[in-house]
């Protein structure tokens, strides 16, 4: 039987424009002990909404984590909502009240009625110490016949109060109670140069015969696809073995489309390959307008292999800065394979780099013609005994076309480096 | 009777570490027509979970907006989940299938069985056109006795697909159906060069005496702050008048820190100023590595005023490409006000531009020294009868420092252009 976890985030501000980053944090911390979040619910500071949502979550779940609404103000109503849902009273705990009073007297502040409310704990619950704020957390465990116990966990909203409470008290408790024997490992593979639907088609036969304990998800970004494979088992060695085996299968299936694992990005992989070979890169950009350089230089230490780039929007800069022939621009135009090739050669020579990588195209929305539509992009790579040139017609808007051009340019360089004898 | 809106976000990735920024966007767009979100639920790609959550939301709500899970892969299951919840069949629509086929043939790609699923619409639902992706949205309206109708709205997950669909089709429909008598207008002001806490301090006295019907929210991004003011009233003229009045007050309070309104970005504002004056810009980047150029060229039509840029990571390129003196590099180093000034002058002259804008600094994480710590950045602007130079020490990681440098460089150019007599 799978342990079901639900998260309830309380706070009107989370439904009025504030971005909720807690869910992402919760999911990572829970994954570390093999638990997945089955559902997340965000609620306003409304005790009826809270009570109703807690009741319905309790029916479905084994672990219910609430965050927010434990503060001292009138709209902090999580305590009341949960107490109502479990039909229990709130009790003022003397030692907690004393702590709050002590804290306030240290700063010579009066203790209001509202501050006192923070010492109210649901009957039968354990209080969780708050190391950097005044509201304690609460942990209520309800035993159930023939089932895992139900845990209700109330945490404060501010991250710096919630984090130590969760990691020091709650996670060890959950691990002991629910995950004694369960071990989980994840493999993330990154692909480029292939579409989501193509990945899906190739993957489907494999998915139907996946071992129990293995789970596979496709995550598509713009021009990139990630594969997540998770192995859950009582035997740590099984999980690692299963992932090693499926990694080999996936490499057989997708070959060179796979560019990295885990925290790898196209820029970091290209950077590692260049650094290892002590080779350098120079870039010439037109329609990507600096985005390609920006991706490359987002990597710490990129100055080791990246010499620089020229973003040449004007034709005169293409001539003067990159050495594109005037006749090329006149006869073929700036968006042509001839121009792309001369840009790559030119920037390589000018900067004395091992490789020159160039992009020219029509990013739109204006500037397209029937012969050269918006989305037409040429990418050229020039290097020692290497010359690559590819033509693309990318879909989407300006940002999309610029982004795809960047991904495909980096991928062209990666493939060339991977095939090159080092 | 208040109109109740619930949001359902579908996607296992949203429960596995990916931050959900849609909720924040939804809340702002819905606020603009006077609707508040009563609850948000995040669900995994699981048709049973989806069906169950939709059923229970339907009982409570008037408007149910789902995003995600309309893509072509096996784990895109929102269509099936909602169809199950309302007990209706999915029907393949011929004209949608044709559209998908046409799109794929334009890029010479095969249409898989999965791509076809995107043409399946819930019986009785209206399809919503997807301007930048392949999955259409869906709108199903269920009439109810003695109550407002129930609207089920299925939107794709990617923001750029969801946004036009929501703003062009869904919002006008919701306004017509649910908010006939309430008029809401929103004013969004963008600020740069000022911190959130400073904005908060200046704003506080104003907020305490805000007219009823007016609401003001601060939204802070990295190095930028936005002010949202919303006026809600039954009389459209009141709202516009109240916003005009508060706009004047806010301009008095924040003056030149305000760089734009609504859809303006720093890059678009700078672009408009340059275009109007028929002036041109050339850029020299070191630590921002292309990000500044990329921001400038993200604006359609930027080729009218942007000539190009040189991203000079190596010192030799700073000399050869930008004309920085060897002695400057030897005596002051690449991260110095002297070098920044020569970079701005150099790129301006080399490219024959009206303005030269240059950034040099230590983006980190390595390369810092006690004299020149990580985060130290010089920004220089060179132009006709204009020379600006500023030194910053930015907090944060590499991405943060690169981003802040870019914002402050654009803002320096904006202020210079605004002060210049046109």
């Amino acid at each position: 039987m799978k342990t079901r976890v639900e998260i309830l985030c309380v706070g009107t501000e989370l439904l009025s424009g504030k971005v909720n980053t807690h869910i992402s944090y919760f999911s990572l911390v829970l994954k570390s002990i093999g638990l997945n979040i089955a559902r997340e619910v965000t609620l306003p500071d409304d005790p009826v909404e809270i009570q109703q949502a807690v009741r319905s979550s309790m029916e479905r779940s084994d672990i219910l984590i609430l965050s927010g609404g434990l503060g001292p103000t009138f709209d902090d109503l999580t305590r009341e909502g949960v107490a109502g849902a479990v039909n229990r009273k709130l009790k003022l705990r003397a030692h907690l009240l004393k702590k709050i009073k002590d804290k306030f007297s240290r700063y010579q502040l009066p203790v209001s009625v509202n501050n006192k409310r923070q010492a109210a704990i649901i009957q039968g619950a354990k209080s969780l110490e708050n190391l950097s704020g005044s509201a304690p957390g609460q942990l209520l465990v309800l035993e159930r016949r023939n089932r895992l116990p139900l845990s209700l966990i109330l945490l404060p909203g501010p991250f710096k109060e919630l984090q130590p409470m969760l990691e020091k008290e709650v996670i060890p408790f959950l691990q002991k109670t629910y995950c004694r024997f369960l071990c989980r490992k994840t493999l993330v593979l990154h692909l480029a140069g292939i579409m989501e639907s193509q990945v899906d088609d190739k993957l489907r036969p494999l998915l139907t015969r996946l071992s129990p304990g293995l789970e596979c998800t496709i995550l598509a970004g713009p021009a990139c696809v990630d594969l997540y494979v998770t192995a859950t088992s009582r035997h740590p060695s099984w999980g690692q073995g299963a992932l090693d085996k499926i990694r080999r299968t996936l490499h057989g299936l997708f070959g060179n489309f796979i560019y990295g694992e885990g925290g790898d990005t196209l820029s970091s992989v290209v950077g590692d390959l260049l650094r290892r070979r002590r080779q350098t890169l120079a870039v010439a950009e037109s329609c990507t307008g600096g985005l390609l350089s920006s991706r490359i230089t987002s990597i710490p230490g990129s100055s080791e292999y990246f010499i620089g780039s020229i973003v040449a929007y004007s034709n005169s800069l293409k001539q003067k800065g990159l050495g594109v022939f005037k006749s090329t621009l006149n006869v073929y135009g700036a968006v042509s394979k001839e121009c792309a090739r001369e840009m790559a050669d030119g920037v390589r020579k000018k900067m004395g780099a091992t490789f020159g990588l160039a992009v020219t195209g029509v990013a739109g929305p204006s500037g397209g013609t029937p012969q050269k539509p918006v989305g037409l992009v040429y990418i050229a790579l020039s290097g020692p005994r290497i010359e690559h040139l590819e033509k693309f017609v990318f879909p989407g808007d300006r940002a999309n076309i610029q982004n795809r051009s960047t991904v495909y340019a980096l991928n062209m360089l990666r493939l060339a480096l991977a095939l090159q004898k080092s």
Side-chain angles (χ1 to χ4, degrees), chain A residues 155-377:
Chain A
L155 301 173
F159 186 73
K160 69 176 188 341
E161 300 182 25
L162 160 167
Q163 187 194 18
M165 212 178 272
L166 188 69
E167 295 181 17
K168 284 195 184 128
E169 288 206 70
V170 177
I171 289 293
F173 163 78
L174 293 179
Q175 187 160 31
K176 205 179 66 200
T177 314
Y178 297 94
C179 337
R180 242 167 300 183
F181 308 109
L182 216 56
C183 180
R184 177 167 297 218
K185 288 186 192 299
T186 301
L187 168 71
V188 185
L189 292 181
H190 305 294
L191 287 77
I194 185 168
M195 281 176 52
E196 186 184 8
S197 56
Q198 293 172 282
V199 174
D200 195 57
D201 285 348
K202 272 178 178 266
L203 209 56
R204 192 173 291 259
L206 179 71
L207 291 182
T208 56
R209 52 188 172 75
L210 218 55
S211 321
L214 283 180
E215 239 183 298
C216 184
T217 317
I218 302 179
L219 239 144
C224 274
V225 178
D226 294 339
L227 291 180
Y228 282 76
V229 191
T230 314
T232 316
S233 138
R234 300 195 182 276
H235 312 285
S237 60
W238 179 85
Q240 196 52 59
L243 288 187
D244 289 344
K245 202 176 143 201
I246 202 164
R247 180 193 283 111
R248 285 192 297 274
T249 310
L250 291 171
H251 272 274
L253 214 51
F254 294 106
N256 256 328
F257 288 119
I258 297 174
Y259 70 79
E261 281 192 21
D264 291 341
T265 62
L266 262 177
S267 306
S268 75
V269 169
V270 163
D272 284 342
L273 288 167
L274 287 168
R275 189 188 286 114
R276 218 179 300 149
R277 291 169 159 78
R278 300 174 187 280
Q279 293 178 324
T280 57
L281 174 65
V283 164
E285 302 189 53
S286 179
C287 65
T288 44
L291 188 64
L292 177 55
S293 310
S294 165
R295 289 279 164 79
I296 294 165
T297 58
S298 69
I299 304 300
S302 45
S303 55
E304 278 181 54
Y305 49 82
F306 183 65
I307 297 180
S309 74
I310 294 182
V311 179
Y313 249 44
S314 73
N315 275 352
S316 99
L317 188 58
K318 287 191 186 84
Q319 289 174 242
K320 275 192 296 181
L322 293 166
V324 173
F325 291 112
K326 196 175 177 182
S327 59
T328 304
L329 294 169
N330 287 340
V331 177
Y332 304 105
V335 181
S336 64
K337 61 177 193 292
E338 290 78 8
C339 182
R341 194 178 288 136
E342 289 175 22
M343 285 168 70
D345 284 340
V347 83
R348 182 184 168 214
K349 262 181 231 146
K350 287 242 167 185
M351 301 199 185
T354 322
F355 294 97
L357 185 58
V359 187
T360 181
V362 188
S366 61
T369 63
Q371 286 76 39
K372 298 186 176 180
V374 169
L376 174 69
V377 173

Side-chain angles (χ1 to χ4, degrees), chain A residues 48-63:
Chain A
V48 179
E49 288 279 342
I50 298 171
Q51 181 170 327
Q52 196 254 324
V54 170
R55 276 221 177 109
S56 112
S57 274
M58 284 170 61
E59 287 169 20
R60 294 185 298 261
S61 308
D62 306 302
I63 301 169

Side-chain angles (χ1 to χ4, degrees), chain A residues 80 82-90 122-125 140-142:
Chain A
E80 287 74 9
V82 178
V86 297
N87 286 318
R88 296 201 180 192
K89 289 216 168 74
L90 286 166
I122 299 167
Q123 217 162 17
L140 177 65
V141 182
L142 303 174

Side-chain angles (χ1 to χ4, degrees), chain A residues 4-10 22-23 25-27 29-30 33 35-37 39-43 54 57-58 61-68 78 82 128 138-140 150-156 162 165-166 170-171 173-174 178:
Chain A
R4 186 180 167 97
V5 189
E6 293 201 13
I7 306 286
L8 261 68
C9 297
V10 180
H22 284 13
I23 310 167
Y25 165 72
F26 280 136
S27 80
V29 175
L30 289 165
I33 55 166
L35 294 174
N36 284 327
I37 301 175
R39 187 178 296 193
E40 183 276 337
V41 180
T42 306
L43 299 164
V54 170
S57 274
M58 284 170 61
S61 308
D62 306 302
I63 301 169
L64 186 50
I65 302 178
L66 294 101
S67 76
T78 301
V82 178
L128 306 170
Q138 305 193 24
L139 166 63
L140 177 65
L150 169 65
S151 296
L152 286 148
I153 299 149
L154 284 66
L155 301 173
L162 160 167
M165 212 178 272
L166 188 69
V170 177
I171 289 293
F173 163 78
L174 293 179
Y178 297 94

